[in-house]
């Protein structure tokens, strides 16, 4: 069975500092990987996705993630965060034949402080 | 372009009352549709998903039910709400041959 682990439940960081949000997954088949962002009292917004091809994926708002098959990881990075990046971030995984359902991590709360 | 709507945005209901939340998608055909619940501001729990009209799969046994009367309409219902049904309910869709899901704005349900 697939599972997703987000290793940090909370990440505090100062404005303009770099940040990495960690995500590891377990799966016996090829996977598709996603990062979503959720601002308070809103729905989730897709940040970026890995389906195939280049392992470095660039998304919206200056975020990027790298798929590492040997380490079964898909960490999210941003070189310089802004106050407006304060939000909840979710990692998710899917695979072919799963009725296109997503398996979700529990989320990481990013708090950007001035 | 595709859009997804949910209503109402907020709802306060007493224990034992019925529930009906509606989700509609525009700009696509034959989407997969999903209902999630998010409790205490964390984590997403998949409640139901649907691959077509009248086709509903339940992920978690509970006092909620779902229906899909039309291709782009997904309804979440309950006959009698429990306190534990409080939470943030999210509807999502994905299209043919795609895996990423797109979410509606959510409904905040408080059961008192």
């Amino acid at each position: 069975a697939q599972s997703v682990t987000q290793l940090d439940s909370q990440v505090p960081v100062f404005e303009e500092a770099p940040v990495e949000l960690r995500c590891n997954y377990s799966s016996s088949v090829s996977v598709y990987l996603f990062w979503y962002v959720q601002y308070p009292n809103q729905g989730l917004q897709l940040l970026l996705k890995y389906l195939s091809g280049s392992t470095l994926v660039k998304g919206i708002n200056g975020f990027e993630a790298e798929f590492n098959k040997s380490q079964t990881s898909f960490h999210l990075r941003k070189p310089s965060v802004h106050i407006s990046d304060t939000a909840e971030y979710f990692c998710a995984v899917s695979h072919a034949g799963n009725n296109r359902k997503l398996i979700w991590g529990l989320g990481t709360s990013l708090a950007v402080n001035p | 372009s595709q859009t997804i709507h949910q209503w109402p945005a907020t709802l306060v209901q007493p224990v034992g009352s019925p529930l009906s939340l509606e989700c509609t998608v525009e700009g696509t055909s034959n989407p997969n549709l999903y209902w999630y619940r998010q409790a205490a501001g964390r984590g997403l729990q998949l409640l139901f998903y649907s691959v077509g009209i009248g086709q509903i799969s339940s992920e978690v046994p509970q006092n909620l039910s779902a229906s899909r009367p039309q291709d782009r309409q997904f309804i979440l219902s309950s006959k009698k709400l429990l306190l534990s049904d409080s939470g943030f309910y999210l509807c999502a869709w994905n299209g043919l041959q795609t895996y990423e899901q797109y979410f509606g704005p959510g409904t905040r349900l408080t059961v008192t």
Side-chain angles (χ1 to χ4, degrees):
Chain A
Q2 291 181 317
S3 66
V4 177
T5 302
Q6 292 185 240
L7 297 160
D8 307 293
S9 61
Q10 295 182 332
V11 173
V13 64
F14 287 109
E15 193 174 17
E16 297 183 4
V19 71
E20 178 180 82
L21 306 183
R22 297 180 293 169
C23 174
N24 285 90
Y25 68 92
S26 66
S27 177
S28 59
V29 298
S30 296
V31 294
Y32 309 118
L33 295 155
F34 308 88
W35 275 100
Y36 284 81
V37 60
Q38 185 181 31
Y39 301 103
N41 293 310
Q42 294 186 25
L44 278 71
Q45 181 181 8
L46 180 66
L47 272 178
L48 47 78
K49 61 185 177 183
Y50 171 79
L51 302 179
S52 65
S54 173
T55 57
L56 182 62
V57 180
K58 293 189 183 297
I60 62 171
N61 301 343
F63 284 93
E64 64 181 32
E66 186 157 18
F67 170 54
N68 188 318
K69 187 175 181 179
S70 63
Q71 297 187 6
T72 61
S73 68
F74 191 55
H75 300 334
L76 182 70
R77 302 186 181 99
K78 186 170 183 177
S80 176
V81 294
H82 303 288
I83 296 288
S84 59
D85 292 322
T86 295
E88 194 80 17
Y89 292 80
F90 292 93
C91 182
V93 63
S94 186
H95 67 85
N98 192 33
N99 278 323
R100 289 178 275 141
K101 292 186 292 182
L102 294 177
I103 307 301
W104 296 88
L106 292 179
T108 297
S109 181
L110 176 65
V112 181
N113 301 300
Chain B
S1 64
Q2 301 88 5
T3 55
I4 178 169
H5 304 280
Q6 284 187 248
W7 63 90
T10 60
L11 193 58
V12 180
Q13 292 283 94
V15 168
S17 64
L19 173 73
S20 181
L21 303 181
E22 189 164 343
C23 169
T24 59
V25 181
E26 296 177 355
T28 188
S29 297
N30 197 28
N32 273 16
L33 295 169
Y34 307 84
W35 276 113
Y36 290 93
R37 178 169 58 204
Q38 192 175 29
R42 293 292 306 277
L44 287 159
Q45 180 186 35
L46 179 62
L47 302 174
F48 301 94
Y49 72 94
S50 172
V51 299
I53 296 173
Q55 300 179 64
I56 309 295
S57 296
S58 175
E59 292 290 301
V60 182
Q62 58 210 317
N63 71 319
L64 298 172
S65 62
S67 62
R68 185 169 175 175
Q70 300 180 44
D71 181 44
R72 290 169 288 178
Q73 184 185 30
F74 204 22
I75 297 172
L76 184 69
S77 304
S78 174
K79 293 181 179 178
K80 290 185 178 181
L81 284 168
L82 306 173
L83 285 173
S84 58
D85 291 324
S86 293
F88 193 48
Y89 287 81
L90 290 158
C91 182
W93 72 276
N94 56 16
L96 294 173
Q97 308 302 321
T98 64
Y99 288 85
E100 61 269 29
Q101 292 178 13
Y102 297 95
F103 284 79
T107 295
R108 174 75 59 189
L109 172 66
T110 303
V111 182
T112 60

